[in-house]
Amino acid sequence: MDSVVQLQRQLVDYSAQLFNEGFLDDQFNQLQQLQDESNPDFVVEVVTLFFEDSERLLDELAKALEQQSVDYRKIDAHVHQLKGSSSSIGAQRVQKVCIGFRNFCEERNIEGCQKCLQQVKHEYSLVKTKLETLFKLEQKILAAGGTIHWPM
Amino acid sequence: MESCNCIEPQWPAEELLMKYQYISDFFIALAYFSIPLELIYFVKKSAVFPYRWVLVQFGAFIVLCGATHLINLWTFNMHSRTVAVVMTTAKVLTAAVSCATALMLVHIIPDLLSVKTRELFLKNKAAELDREMGLIRTQEETGRHVRMLTHEIRSTLDRHTILKTTLVELGRTLALEECALWMPTRTGLELQLSYTLRQQNPVGYTVPIQLPVINQVFSSNRAMKISPNSPVARLRPLSGKYMPGEVVAVRVPLLHLSNFQINDWPELSTRRYALMVLMLPSDSARQWHVHELELVEVVADQVAVALSHAAILEESMRARDLLMEQNVALDHARREAETAIRARNDFLAVMNHEMRTPMHAVIALSSLLQETELTPEQRLMIETILRSSNLLATLINDVLDLSRLEDGSLQLDLGSFNLHAVFREVLNLIKPIASVKKLPVTLNVAPDLPEYAIGDEKRLMQTILNVVGNAVKFSKEGSISITAFVAKSESLRDSRAPDFFPVPSDNHFYLRVQVKDAGQGINPPDIPKLFTKFAHAQTLATKNSSGSGLGLAICKRFVNLMEGHIWIESEGLGKGCMAIFIVKLGIPENTSESKNPFLPKANHGQTTFPGLKVLVLDDNGVSRMVTKELLVHLGCDVTTASSRDECLLVVSQDHKVVCMDAGMPDSFEAAVRLHEKFTKRHERPLIVALTGNTDKVTKENCMRVGMDGVILKPVSVDKMRSVLSELLEHRVLFEAM
């Protein structure tokens, strides 16, 4: 039982850290609230879907920016999608970069866009790692017989 | 000498005598000839002379006479026969004419004489007319004076001016030495000298009113001559030398307002007169003429009228002033009352808030405390605290409600609600208390009473509860029965409510509730007092009862707001009573409003929307999944679509709500297409857009394409819940951005 409590405390600290550093926002808590007995893996499913979607979008963005004549409209549409997804799961930092990305798109600033793309990729990989760690912790707790309550 | 037939003179004609005769005859002839000429000349000149032919005769007579005398001239000496013949002819003619003339004159002279008499007669007539003319002129003068005087007198409505002007004008017109007015004093027993013409300040002589001379003057409306020695005429000290002029006195009726009887004017009920005394100049040998007396009488009348007008004006001015004062006072009182009301309202509002805050704290904390672990003792104490504080809170609410009701600022919260449920709830609330007092309570709801109605549920429940509560409170035994049914037109008009004119219509019905108890009853004369604030029917039994006495007053006001009527019937003390009220409720339409079981009620708070079919339209997989899960969590039956076309394919009449992501490129077009697909409003699902944009443009665009609502992302569970409930209740939701 001590390990469960310890693991739980670890989870609490870790999630607090994620919130403090702005990786996640309240939307993530909302998602957790939607998870219940009828849908026990909801959050994992959504986040997995987010990862798939985002990777696809990032590939498309990279391809689009390499073109000779850059189609800013298409880029804007992709970024918009990414922004929507990230805000839906509460990936705050990714969402913020997307907003900046869209501004550069409007200005048709190719360098700005490229810089933003790098930033987005960076943030995305960060939040992905963090979330994966979080989920591993949760699984450990569940395997040890403990329970998890959101919000922490 | 030959002898001739002529007569020879006896003596020899003396030359002188002959000469003189000769000359005289000549002049006579001349005269005789010239007189007719003169006559003719002058007659020709005058046109009037009527006897021309007489004149002709006369002329002829004179001419012939002259001729005779002329011919005589030739007879002095020897003359021939012709001359004699001519002479004879002339003489004969002369004789004839003169005789004729003489005869004519007999006729004429009486005529001429009568002309003379006529002339004299006419002269007399002329003199008489002259006199009369003089009289008329005098009268006209008098009339003019009267008019002028009247004009002067009547041109002012001020009493003093009237009287002063009268005296001045009279003095001027009639050239009086002195003119005085004696007014009766307040007591009516004396006459006081009030105004004089010459003296500036009358010194206030008084004479008793019962003097014979005064009575004489007062008894007739004519101006009378009085002795200059009478006390009213003795205005100046008499210095023995001069003869005082003639004095005339006339009465002036003083008309008091209360004397005005239109039918018997000028017969006056109470007669007060003033005395006007006029004195001719002394030593002037002038006499009062009739026309002057008439003038004085007329003036006196006019003065009376003018004074009465002045009196009326005074009265009306006084009345107007009084009214103005009253108006000012009333206005002041009104403003004070308004200030008082405002002060009271402010006080109530403040106190209400101040009172509610701690009340809220007490109630909230007590109920929280109730949830924790308590010993039975503590639990009892907490329950008592809670009950008392709830009672206090109700009291505060009552007081505030009443004050708001009185201001007319209270408005009913109309909404659709379950009528039957209201009665059941009342029954549930009252049953515990009634069973403690061992009073059976029965509820009888008519089968034709609609299940749902539109009205103010909370206040209707409050009213029913109050009435039933009173029944329970004032009964020691017996049963209490509550009946509720739809009032038909016969039962609507009640003789006890003559002002109540219910008008049934298609979308309203009248609910009639009767609560009968077998308690202590009420004295019929006390029944009206029941509905007045703070009044209690004070009997021994109720002395200990609680309640501020506001309940029925508030109920009455609620019932009135609901366009109804409430009254109580009781046969007397100890005979129980029946409280009856009728209120007007709306009939809900047969749309989703009545059949919709998703109506959230403030009392229960809709937490789930079981079976509500919702369509989620979003091209972003993650968002779609999240939104879907939100709705599933709230119990909805969710279908998803990722494009506009898919949405239009999948949507059906069963979907009540469509949640679409406004960031999607075709979301607006989807909304438009949805409108096209479902033309009737109640078939179309409600369209709600979820957007992360906070600007007005987005909102306006959404409204333009016909969305029913816009919600700002991120959407939490609670937000989605409240949004759905508000959407379903009001069919529109536009969150403030």
Side-chain angles (χ1 to χ4, degrees), chain A residues 27 30 39 42 80-81 85 88, chain B residues 619-620 623 629 663 714 716-717:
Chain A
Q27 183 63 16
Q30 294 288 329
N39 208 342
F42 172 64
H80 178 68
Q81 289 273 335
S85 317
S88 293
Chain B
D619 59 351
N620 184 314
S623 306
E629 191 56 37
S716 66
V717 175

Side-chain angles (χ1 to χ4, degrees), chain B residues 433-462:
Chain B
I433 308 174
S435 63
V436 162
K437 288 180 99 169
K438 298 207 176 22
L439 303 165
V441 181
T442 53
L443 170 66
N444 222 327
V445 174
D448 66 343
L449 194 69
E451 195 177 334
Y452 288 94
I454 298 181
D456 189 335
E457 186 195 6
K458 181 174 103 168
R459 294 193 171 105
L460 180 64
M461 171 129 57
Q462 200 174 342

Side-chain angles (χ1 to χ4, degrees), chain B residues 486-490 492-493 501-510 584-585 587:
Chain B
V486 175
K488 301 287 186 292
S489 26
E490 319 85 53
L492 281 176
R493 289 283 284 119
F501 292 105
V503 179
S505 64
D506 277 340
N507 42 12
H508 290 105
F509 70 96
Y510 285 89
K584 187 176 180 188
L585 295 172
I587 302 174

Side-chain angles (χ1 to χ4, degrees), chain B residues 278-342:
Chain B
L278 308 119
M279 284 175 253
L280 287 177
S282 34
D283 280 349
S284 68
R286 247 183 73 186
Q287 299 241 322
W288 281 101
H289 298 143
V290 171
H291 67 267
E292 289 172 339
L293 292 178
E294 283 172 0
L295 182 117
V296 167
E297 283 162 15
V298 167
V299 167
D301 272 337
Q302 287 298 320
V303 166
V305 173
L307 283 176
S308 68
H309 284 185
I312 292 175
L313 182 74
E314 260 180 58
E315 283 281 324
S316 77
M317 298 280 278
R318 232 174 332 119
R320 190 197 64 172
D321 284 339
L322 199 66
L323 253 154
M324 268 176 48
E325 269 178 40
Q326 280 178 347
N327 268 356
V328 167
L330 270 167
D331 200 38
H332 188 66
R334 180 179 58 88
R335 264 182 280 123
E336 276 186 7
E338 275 178 10
T339 320
I341 288 179
R342 255 181 286 130

Side-chain angles (χ1 to χ4, degrees), chain B residues 458-710:
Chain B
K458 181 174 103 168
R459 294 193 171 105
L460 180 64
M461 171 129 57
Q462 200 174 342
T463 309
I464 305 175
L465 203 54
N466 197 300
V467 168
V468 174
N470 277 347
V472 169
K473 186 157 76 164
F474 292 109
S475 298
K476 290 217 182 93
E477 57 189 5
S479 72
I480 298 178
S481 79
I482 311 171
T483 336
F485 53 95
V486 175
K488 301 287 186 292
S489 26
E490 319 85 53
S491 59
L492 281 176
R493 289 283 284 119
D494 202 295
S495 56
R496 274 162 296 243
D499 302 333
F500 186 45
F501 292 105
V503 179
S505 64
D506 277 340
N507 42 12
H508 290 105
F509 70 96
Y510 285 89
L511 166 72
R512 183 177 164 123
V513 176
Q514 292 174 187
V515 177
K516 190 167 165 57
D517 71 66
Q520 58 191 43
I522 303 165
N523 230 339
D526 288 336
I527 290 185
K529 279 194 259 169
L530 287 171
F531 291 101
T532 54
K533 281 194 302 184
F534 304 114
H536 261 153
Q538 289 295 335
T539 62
L540 284 164
T542 61
K543 254 203 221 160
N544 300 326
S545 64
S546 54
S548 63
L550 283 178
L552 275 178
I554 294 183
C555 287
K556 185 170 162 86
R557 283 185 177 74
F558 284 156
V559 166
N560 284 343
L561 272 175
M562 294 191 227
E563 297 179 50
H565 187 72
I566 180 170
W567 72 96
I568 292 190
E569 294 168 9
S570 172
E571 304 198 359
L573 287 170
K575 300 209 176 94
C577 80
M578 180 147 86
I580 308 167
F581 69 86
I582 303 179
V583 290
K584 187 176 180 188
L585 295 172
I587 302 174
E589 299 163 7
N590 280 341
T591 60
S592 50
E593 294 224 48
S594 59
K595 293 193 192 146
N596 200 333
F598 312 130
L599 291 175
K601 279 298 117 205
N603 294 335
H604 315 299
Q606 190 99 13
T607 48
T608 58
F609 305 87
L612 178 67
K613 279 183 90 85
V614 183
L615 177 62
V616 172
L617 171 59
D618 196 332
D619 59 351
N620 184 314
V622 176
S623 306
R624 197 168 56 235
M625 193 165 164
V626 173
T627 312
K628 173 176 171 186
E629 191 56 37
L630 255 178
L631 292 163
V632 167
H633 192 74
L634 291 172
C636 307
D637 176 6
V638 185
T639 344
T640 57
S642 55
S643 73
R644 177 198 69 204
D645 295 326
E646 201 189 325
C647 162
L648 290 165
L649 267 173
V650 175
V651 81
S652 72
Q653 269 195 33
D654 297 327
H655 288 109
K656 292 277 174 265
V657 182
V658 170
C659 278
M660 63 170 70
D661 174 36
M664 246 173 65
D666 340 317
S667 54
F668 290 149
E669 220 192 297
V672 172
R673 290 293 174 82
L674 276 171
H675 270 276
E676 284 170 17
K677 184 159 179 183
F678 299 100
T679 44
K680 294 206 194 103
R681 211 189 145 156
H682 61 266
E683 288 171 9
R684 182 172 58 77
L686 298 162
I687 307 175
V688 175
L690 275 67
T691 172
N693 266 342
T694 55
D695 58 38
K696 259 190 161 177
V697 178
T698 317
K699 185 168 166 190
E700 276 163 16
N701 288 340
C702 290
M703 283 169 78
R704 206 157 17 95
V705 292
M707 308 228 185
D708 298 295
V710 179

Side-chain angles (χ1 to χ4, degrees), chain B residues 119-272:
Chain B
E119 187 191 316
L120 203 66
F121 175 69
L122 280 167
K123 225 194 265 170
N124 283 344
K125 256 286 184 243
E128 211 180 288
L129 279 169
D130 260 334
R131 269 199 303 277
E132 267 178 31
M133 176 83 142
L135 261 168
I136 288 173
R137 225 183 269 130
T138 324
Q139 274 179 350
E140 202 221 331
E141 279 275 316
T142 313
R144 211 161 31 84
H145 280 301
V146 168
R147 272 196 298 280
M148 187 257 299
L149 259 165
T150 311
H151 179 260
E152 288 293 322
I153 290 170
R154 300 282 289 273
S155 65
T156 168
L157 282 170
D158 172 45
R159 190 189 199 105
H160 292 285
T161 321
I162 289 173
L163 292 168
K164 257 282 180 248
T165 316
T166 311
L167 296 180
V168 164
E169 292 298 325
L170 265 179
R172 206 152 44 92
T173 309
L174 298 171
L176 300 170
E177 176 179 355
E178 179 63 89
C179 188
L181 191 69
W182 299 77
M183 302 279 274
T185 56
R186 279 204 183 280
T187 57
L189 296 174
E190 291 182 325
L191 282 181
Q192 187 182 28
L193 181 62
S194 315
Y195 302 93
T196 55
L197 183 57
R198 308 284 172 203
Q199 295 169 349
Q200 283 307 95
N201 298 320
V203 188
Y205 296 123
T206 55
V207 291
I209 209 168
Q210 291 300 328
L211 288 178
V213 60
I214 296 178
N215 280 338
Q216 193 191 15
V217 174
F218 278 0
S219 60
S220 150
N221 62 351
R222 310 211 49 132
M224 298 184 173
K225 292 199 191 129
I226 61 175
S227 153
N229 292 329
S230 57
V232 290
R234 242 187 292 132
L235 296 174
R236 297 192 187 178
L238 281 173
S239 61
K241 278 264 174 76
Y242 51 85
M243 272 293 287
E246 289 199 343
V247 181
V248 150
V250 70
R251 75 175 186 190
V252 180
L254 291 177
L255 302 164
H256 208 256
L257 204 58
S258 55
N259 289 348
F260 267 109
Q261 308 266 330
I262 300 184
N263 294 334
D264 47 31
W265 161 271
E267 266 73 87
L268 306 167
S269 41
T270 61
R271 295 163 199 191
R272 280 162 42 108

